[in-house]
């Protein structure tokens, strides 16, 4: 398989997990406890050794193969969705490296349950939220931007009267809307979430 093929299929595997992850965050609209309960249900799928190994392997493959593809195409003239594909890929590679490392550190070194409160501690604490809002926001937008760019390249026919370009723009719009909804859900309607004492170490308390 070519580097591009490996990158594409590992990306599909990772997209399934990210979709579950984002769905879990939307579920926080029903409260922190509902989010945690849904997470426990979803963990039955992705926290077993086989599936988790596949996910971590897909992350590594995405970063390595994506870096090779960027290096091979960096001098090619690009515009529109090609540029979006490149820059969102670079941000996602950096985000995945940092985010997965943080989660593994929380689990293995800090002995924390990397649940709802682990994810939202910084998002609901000043001044850390000045970093975490753009950090998470750009990650979600980069994910949907990357999907939109791939869709624009792979889709060759109109669907429901929409050209591939318009379909991809709809994916971007949906990503922006979902990003706002997830921020709303993870911050208790932007009113803030009380962080349990066990997670205070994450915000310097």
């Amino acid at each position: 398989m070519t580097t591009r093929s490996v990158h594409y299929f590992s990306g599909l595997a990772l997209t399934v997990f990210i979709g579950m992850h984002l769905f879990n965050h939307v579920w926080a609209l029903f409260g922190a406890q509902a989010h945690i309960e849904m997470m426990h249900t979803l963990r039955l799928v992705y926290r077993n050794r086989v599936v988790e190994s596949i996910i971590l392997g897909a992350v590594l493959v995405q970063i390595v193969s994506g870096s090779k593809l960027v290096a091979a195409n960096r001098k090619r003239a690009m515009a529109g969705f090609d540029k979006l594909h490149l820059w969102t890929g670079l941000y996602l590679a950096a985000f995945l490296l940092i985010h997965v490392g943080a989660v593994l550190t929380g689990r293995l070194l800090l002995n924390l349950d990397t649940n709802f409160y682990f994810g939202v501690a910084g998002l609901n604490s000043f001044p850390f939220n000045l970093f975490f809002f753009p950090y998470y926001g750009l990650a979600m937008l980069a994910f949907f931007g990357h999907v939109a760019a791939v869709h624009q390249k792979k889709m060759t026919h109109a669907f429901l009267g929409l050209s591939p370009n318009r379909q991809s723009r709809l994916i971007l719009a949906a990503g922006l809307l979902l990003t706002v909804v997830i921020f709303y859900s993870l911050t208790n309607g932007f009113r803030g979430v009380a962080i349990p004492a066990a997670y205070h170490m994450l915000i310097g308390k």
Side-chain angles (χ1 to χ4, degrees), residues 35-115:
H35 181 284
I36 292 171
E37 289 172 1
M38 178 59 69
M39 178 176 282
H40 285 315
T41 300
L42 295 176
R43 280 178 176 179
L44 296 175
V45 178
Y46 64 75
R47 271 285 182 98
N48 69 75
R49 290 185 179 180
V50 174
V51 177
E52 189 168 43
S53 296
I54 292 173
I55 293 170
L56 292 175
V59 169
L60 182 61
V61 168
Q62 279 287 287
I63 294 172
V64 173
S65 61
S67 299
K68 288 183 177 180
L69 289 171
V70 169
N73 291 281
R74 69 184 187 278
K75 293 183 179 180
R76 184 168 63 88
M78 289 182 288
F81 280 102
D82 286 332
K83 279 190 175 181
L84 183 67
H85 196 185
L86 174 68
W87 290 108
T88 55
L90 287 172
Y91 187 84
L92 285 173
F95 177 84
L96 287 171
L97 188 62
I98 296 169
H99 192 63
V100 173
V103 171
L104 293 177
T105 298
R107 281 172 58 184
L108 303 177
L109 298 181
L110 302 179
N111 295 313
L112 290 173
D113 182 1
T114 53
N115 61 18

Side-chain angles (χ1 to χ4, degrees), residues 137-200:
L138 287 173
M140 288 185 277
L141 293 175
F143 170 72
F144 283 99
H146 210 64
V147 170
V150 172
H151 180 83
Q152 192 269 343
K153 288 183 177 181
K154 297 289 185 180
M155 193 71 174
T156 57
H157 303 290
F159 179 72
L160 296 177
L162 297 173
S163 68
N165 274 4
R166 287 190 174 183
Q167 293 170 39
S168 294
R169 290 191 183 100
L170 279 179
I171 293 172
L172 287 172
L176 178 59
L177 177 61
L178 189 64
T179 298
V180 174
V181 170
I182 287 176
F183 277 143
Y184 184 89
S185 70
L186 297 183
T187 58
N188 188 28
F190 299 112
R191 293 187 296 271
V193 173
I195 307 300
Y199 297 87
H200 282 182

